[in-house]
Amino acid sequence: MAGNSFGTAFRFTTWGESHGPSIGCVVDGVPPLIPLSEDDLQLWLDRRRPGQSRYTTQRQEPDQVKIVSGVFDGQTTGTPIGLIVENVDQRSKDYSEIADQYRPGHADFTYQAKYGIRDYRGGGRSSARETAMRVAAGGVARKMLRHVLGDAISIRGALVQMGPHRIERESWDWAETENNPFWCPDAKAAGDWAAYLDGIRKSGSSCGAVIEVVASGFPAGLGEPIYDKLDSDLARAMMSINAVKGVEIGAGFEAAALTGEENADEMRSAGNKVEFLSNKAGGILGGISTGQDIVVRFAVKPTSSILSPRRSVDRYNREIEVRTKGRHDPCVGIRAVPVGEAMMALVLADHVLRQRGLTGAL
Amino acid sequence: MAGNSFGTAFRFTTWGESHGPSIGCVVDGVPPLIPLSEDDLQLWLDRRRPGQSRYTTQRQEPDQVKIVSGVFDGQTTGTPIGLIVENVDQRSKDYSEIADQYRPGHADFTYQAKYGIRDYRGGGRSSARETAMRVAAGGVARKMLRHVLGDAISIRGALVQMGPHRIERESWDWAETENNPFWCPDAKAAGDWAAYLDGIRKSGSSCGAVIEVVASGFPAGLGEPIYDKLDSDLARAMMSINAVKGVEIGAGFEAAALTGEENADEMRSAGNKVEFLSNKAGGILGGISTGQDIVVRFAVKPTSSILSPRRSVDRYNREIEVRTKGRHDPCVGIRAVPVGEAMMALVLADHVLRQRGLTGAL
Amino acid sequence: MAGNSFGTAFRFTTWGESHGPSIGCVVDGVPPLIPLSEDDLQLWLDRRRPGQSRYTTQRQEPDQVKIVSGVFDGQTTGTPIGLIVENVDQRSKDYSEIADQYRPGHADFTYQAKYGIRDYRGGGRSSARETAMRVAAGGVARKMLRHVLGDAISIRGALVQMGPHRIERESWDWAETENNPFWCPDAKAAGDWAAYLDGIRKSGSSCGAVIEVVASGFPAGLGEPIYDKLDSDLARAMMSINAVKGVEIGAGFEAAALTGEENADEMRSAGNKVEFLSNKAGGILGGISTGQDIVVRFAVKPTSSILSPRRSVDRYNREIEVRTKGRHDPCVGIRAVPVGEAMMALVLADHVLRQRGLTGAL
Amino acid sequence: MAGNSFGTAFRFTTWGESHGPSIGCVVDGVPPLIPLSEDDLQLWLDRRRPGQSRYTTQRQEPDQVKIVSGVFDGQTTGTPIGLIVENVDQRSKDYSEIADQYRPGHADFTYQAKYGIRDYRGGGRSSARETAMRVAAGGVARKMLRHVLGDAISIRGALVQMGPHRIERESWDWAETENNPFWCPDAKAAGDWAAYLDGIRKSGSSCGAVIEVVASGFPAGLGEPIYDKLDSDLARAMMSINAVKGVEIGAGFEAAALTGEENADEMRSAGNKVEFLSNKAGGILGGISTGQDIVVRFAVKPTSSILSPRRSVDRYNREIEVRTKGRHDPCVGIRAVPVGEAMMALVLADHVLRQRGLTGAL
């Protein structure tokens, strides 16, 4: 009943804390005979790795992933894939100061309330460091999806809002996401954001963000109504990412303000296929994929670690002031982009296998 | 792997279609020795029942729930609780016209794509009729929660936006939700909405809505990180409700536009308890409840069944126009209020039992 | 966490007590487009039905199964299949005498210890009446298996030991199982058993039995190591049947007394297939089917309800004597045969779907 | 759907192959605040370790377990416990000879049939090496059980039959199991078995065994009817151990030959408790523990690796002879004793947590 696993058919379980010797995961349910190497996973981990620009935490983690089981002669065997990443830069600093403090916006208070104990070093299990394993598992999911569905599929993420600054849909260019440290699909906005985030960073403040993840090329028919709908599982997946406070599919919250006429995605015949004239539904109807782009957005709150002192209490219920020094992301939403992509891959991998099984060659 | 169950420790499984002889569910994991009668459940079903105002479908369903197992001498026995509701008003009309049509915004196309067959009568399994069983199961959940946590808890829902019309937080009065057919907590807004929705209804159009559900009096410590966080499970639960396109917790999407200073919920000591000075977090930090109000909002798209003709195709990929006659809700968001409340109760019941077990007297 | 469901991909959940208004189950995960009628299930229920010979309880239950969801126009739709059987002959006798008594060998004491309450009428939930729903669900499983694997498969059960009387392997004839009330594959033994069981019955005593179930025609490759091996799941399935105290696969306990040479099933090439020269393994190696007959045996203890007075206590811990009057099976093992067949079908259906998914047409 | 996890509330997932760099597991659901060190686990691993007498494989594995997460300041934190054991003595011999061969009695053929690929080095994933992680996880389970239920509980295993040689119940002495390399509770029999097994070993043959595991001091009320009965879960657990072909509870298969009178465990009042006068039931009625000793026996087939040549085929369906050289256990049943104990601990830990939850301090 403890919740460290995700997925039903393609199922992974993570372990590890921010300042333990290593973090890892087990990916179970991967079909046999899929080519898989550590490079296939490192590719994605490198996208999430901290310390790559001045806008993310300066913690230096090489995040080298090792495959310790489930692959033989370069191919998956159908047995569980063990993945391990060593923790390297867990500064041996003295954490005793914050051992008893509850930092506002962090999980310190709730972990203590729930468990009566917590590994306070770097946030312990509640640290976003755990998401490295999601990205690694997501790499396995991507490999499997391409193996089964072909190379035409893609899963891409972008930052579409930084703090209060939202980009316009018209100026969107996927290729731009690789050209700036924000995964921003709008070159002009990326420049503005750099200036904005420099200000935030220098003042020791932080800001939130909105991320959009789009999966293209997936077939109609994915999703298991009623309670494991594709959108339900995506909502659960994205909401499980650290600091996420909202998830929407397609038109999302804006759909509430539309009329039925405006919201209907009309259909036409296109050769022997169905063509939708719009995608307010975000590629999902009744919890099942339509074959259009699957579109998810999620909101990330501002990083809770800030320089300004905030009022709080400690575990002895004494009133204190908390001020976070040290290495932190001024906008954690940036590094949430590859994590959101990974969760999309993991949910889709799970639903493909729920329909197709593929646990063996039968 | 098919997805007709929800929950881990408090787990229910629903069955039934819109126009079958009956719908039902099995609720497994309910602790023994809890007083339970059909009246305890009917109370909540009556809130959701169609045909109670001119703003909901005129289908007349008494929705009388029967308990067929798991209760003995007025108390639960720890064995599975079977619940059944007969379908009464499944008009014996001829559905052959729409048998092959894909209605835009409905699940017709995706059910056909996924299963290669569908019960097209009234939407079959994809009909919101299924939510009656969620409300019934939610009644069991509420009863259990009060039994375990006491009578101080509450779970309440309200419509906070109808179409483009959003109410202001200042004018909010929970008591008002019982005084209008919209579960609107603002008497003035309720009047405006009535006029607005009459217009929508008469023109054969439809509109969306936003619902907020608040759980009060629940202890800190509920939720199972990392993948079964309380907010993850709430997101999944709400997104599984028919027509929902977005879910947010606390400040939700607005949190993205805040700074770390604005978003932090500061803490003070209040006697021997911790007091939070605000609730941007919506009562959840790190996936675990803080003891504050648990606040969830979700967006419902406009009803897809509208009188205006929409372009579509049929299952032979012939281009058609679809125009929905018959009994429908101009704003399905209204009847989603008791369903959202039920899902909140079901998620909380599950997490209470995940922590406490209670499958026996041990 | 309460345990009223079985299976992962082909999953059923039962509800109902011996003396409630009805019993039922939900079968989730059945692929769409499989022809299914009530007759397909009634066939198997009729084999298990009580009161068909003087050797089984005289309770008269027509056990008419109704399909209340998941089938449309004679075919499964991929949505959950609801099955209901009304309880008819729940004699309105006064059960107050045994309400507080713990019958030796029954679950009275343990249900009370676990739950602090129990429906004592006819054993409530612990009654073998629940197995009617396994047989019904097993009928769905059989139908699905034939649909997917073809008509060459078979699942057959036989009583191979009644009390101390075991039949010899040499005299085995499957066809004979239909010719006597014991499912005995040996006509001679069936005659001897009739005399033996008449004696048992008239003296108000009871006896145990051993049942063998054989599945033929199933492909190699079924089973999910390490913890969901085919034999693990069969062991769990058979042990879950009322009164079962032992399960073995192939040579079973006798394998312990063999040498490696004796126990090895040698292999030869037969055309383009592998042929095994013996089947000590019972068709399973490493938890995965070999393609040979899958052979399971299970031991059923003697019926606990007997006329001879037994010493016991009541729930107030007062010492009493218990003597069971009323309608009972002198050898419950007989009616366990169709139940064992059903569990074999259900386990195999689950493992076929675990490999193939088939939740949709994808 | 792949089966590398066991348990619901106390759930562990193993990974790793016989000749990979390491093997490991994740134990999820362990309550917080339980003292736990590597020594607590090493204790049990040392009992299972190979190479400790001439009767087990001479592979030398130190089997040093490392705890890599979930423990902080010597106590569990409620987060997943990662355990890793390095593989040291994976002889770098040339396995190419057997790469394509199917060894009779081994899982070679079925893994190839299922997955179309297999890690043939030392049996890969199908090797009993995986059971080291069960023993490690079992150590965590034992620690948790004592923490929750107190020190009066015990879980002990013994070899009660080696090849055809069975010990008598009268000569049983638990203390003796520590005095011989067979876990034999009968000093006299242990001597006889030594001579017998020396003969088996020298001739390159092998023999089977029967193991009994007894859990004492556990409360009445454990087990979740109908499908997660305590005996069902024990059957599944024991049958999942490599080479096991049969499982029985209490009187087991012998119960089939008893009358109802002989099989009934009568009850008497003993102070304010219930006392059973016998334990044919093996401590379980209706799938729920009675508070008596919980007694399970399981049969292990003879080691399939033998020196005598056996007929077989290779993966190209060519007929071959297979003769196993190298390091092997003449009676794998011996090393199955600590594994059976571990599985008993794991099943009981799971059922204790299913009833009590304990995922937090709530």
Side-chain angles (χ1 to χ4, degrees), chain B residues 14-15 22-27 36-49 61-69 71 81-88 129-140, chain C residues 21:
Chain B
T14 71
W15 52 266
S22 49
I23 56 175
C25 74
V26 190
V27 189
L36 187 72
S37 71
E38 290 170 354
D39 286 348
D40 292 326
L41 310 183
Q42 197 60 47
L43 173 70
W44 305 108
L45 275 164
D46 288 348
R47 281 167 69 91
R48 179 201 159 280
R49 194 146 50 82
E61 285 292 352
D63 278 358
Q64 287 292 326
V65 67
K66 274 182 261 171
I67 299 175
V68 289
S69 70
V71 174
I81 296 175
L83 302 176
I84 296 180
V85 167
E86 306 291 328
N87 284 332
V88 173
R129 178 125 195 83
E130 188 267 351
T131 61
M133 296 325 300
R134 306 185 187 211
V135 173
V140 181

Side-chain angles (χ1 to χ4, degrees), chain B residues 121-313:
Chain B
R121 300 166 305 163
R125 180 71 180 155
S126 73
S127 164
R129 178 125 195 83
E130 188 267 351
T131 61
M133 296 325 300
R134 306 185 187 211
V135 173
V140 181
R142 286 179 189 261
K143 200 76 179 164
M144 188 279 280
L145 287 168
R146 282 181 183 275
H147 186 78
V148 172
L149 298 177
D151 287 340
I153 60 163
S154 75
I155 293 169
R156 296 180 292 190
L159 207 74
V160 298
Q161 181 180 330
M162 174 177 287
H165 306 295
R166 186 156 200 140
I167 59 171
E168 299 300 318
R169 184 61 52 169
E170 300 78 53
S171 54
W172 187 289
D173 177 1
W174 276 112
E176 281 299 325
T177 59
E178 306 291 333
N179 297 336
N180 61 71
F182 312 117
W183 315 108
C184 175
D186 176 340
K188 166 76 173 55
D192 297 344
W193 291 2
Y196 169 75
L197 197 56
D198 275 328
I200 290 283
R201 184 171 59 84
K202 284 170 186 164
S203 68
S205 183
S206 65
C207 70
V210 176
I211 287 97
E212 179 167 318
V213 179
V214 178
S216 304
F218 286 82
L222 290 170
E224 300 296 329
I226 304 293
Y227 296 102
D228 299 343
K229 289 171 169 166
L230 186 54
D231 37 1
S232 288
D233 278 8
L234 287 169
R236 180 186 171 213
M238 299 309 170
M239 197 67 95
S240 79
I241 301 172
N242 307 51
V244 172
K245 299 305 286 184
V247 183
E248 56 184 11
I249 307 290
F253 275 87
E254 287 182 13
L258 302 177
T259 63
E261 288 78 5
E262 292 163 335
N263 190 62
D265 296 318
E266 295 182 299
M267 288 174 264
R268 294 283 79 183
S269 174
N272 58 357
K273 297 190 61 179
V274 169
E275 183 187 29
F276 287 86
L277 303 185
S278 57
N279 191 12
K280 292 286 197 303
I284 302 173
L285 283 173
I288 302 171
S289 66
T290 63
Q292 293 177 277
D293 280 0
I294 299 166
V295 182
V296 182
R297 268 183 309 284
F298 56 94
V300 178
K301 71 178 184 182
T303 315
S304 296
S305 300
I306 49 177
L307 272 177
S308 317
R310 294 282 100 189
R311 288 174 291 175
S312 189
V313 297

Side-chain angles (χ1 to χ4, degrees), chain C residues 1-6 8 12 14 102 104-107 109-111 113-115 125 130 134 161 163-164 205-210 220-221 223-229 231-233 235-236 239-240 245-249 252-253 255-261 263-269 271-274 276-277 281 284-286 288-290 297 299-303 306 308 310-313 317 319-320 354-355, chain D residues 1-6 8 12 14 102 104-107 109-111 113-115 125 130 134 161 163-164 205-210 220-221 223-229 231-233 235-236 239-240 245-249 252-253 255-261 263-269 271-274 276-277 281 284-286 288-290 297 299-303 306 308 310-313 317 319-320 354-355:
Chain C
M1 292 179 298
N4 296 287
S5 299
F6 188 90
T8 295
F12 68 100
T14 72
Y102 297 148
H106 280 279
F109 170 71
T110 52
Y111 267 63
K114 179 177 178 66
Y115 299 116
R125 180 70 181 155
E130 188 268 350
R134 307 186 187 210
Q161 181 181 327
S205 183
S206 65
C207 70
V210 176
E224 300 296 329
I226 303 293
Y227 296 102
D228 299 343
K229 288 170 170 168
D231 36 2
S232 288
D233 277 7
R236 180 187 171 211
M239 197 67 95
S240 78
K245 301 303 286 184
V247 183
E248 57 183 11
I249 306 290
F253 275 87
L258 301 177
T259 63
E261 288 79 5
N263 190 62
D265 296 318
E266 294 183 300
M267 289 173 265
R268 293 283 82 182
S269 174
N272 59 356
K273 295 188 65 179
V274 169
F276 288 85
L277 304 184
I284 302 173
L285 283 173
I288 302 170
S289 66
T290 63
R297 267 182 309 282
V300 177
K301 70 178 185 184
T303 315
I306 48 178
S308 317
R310 294 283 100 188
R311 287 174 292 174
S312 190
V313 297
N317 208 13
E319 300 197 334
I320 57 173
R354 285 171 81 140
Q355 275 207 41
Chain D
M1 292 179 297
N4 296 285
S5 300
F6 188 90
T8 296
F12 69 102
T14 73
Y102 298 147
H106 280 280
F109 170 70
T110 52
Y111 267 63
K114 179 177 178 65
Y115 299 116
R125 180 72 183 155
E130 187 268 350
R134 305 185 187 211
Q161 180 179 329
S205 183
S206 65
C207 71
V210 176
E224 300 296 330
I226 302 295
Y227 296 102
D228 300 344
K229 288 170 170 168
D231 37 2
S232 288
D233 277 7
R236 180 187 169 210
M239 196 66 95
S240 79
K245 300 305 285 185
V247 183
E248 57 183 11
I249 307 289
F253 275 87
L258 302 177
T259 63
E261 289 78 5
N263 190 62
D265 297 317
E266 294 182 300
M267 290 173 263
R268 293 283 81 182
S269 174
N272 59 356
K273 295 188 64 179
V274 169
F276 287 85
L277 304 184
I284 302 173
L285 282 173
I288 302 170
S289 66
T290 63
R297 267 182 311 282
V300 177
K301 70 178 184 183
T303 315
I306 49 177
S308 318
R310 294 283 100 188
R311 287 174 291 174
S312 189
V313 297
N317 209 11
E319 301 199 332
I320 57 173
R354 285 171 81 140
Q355 274 209 41

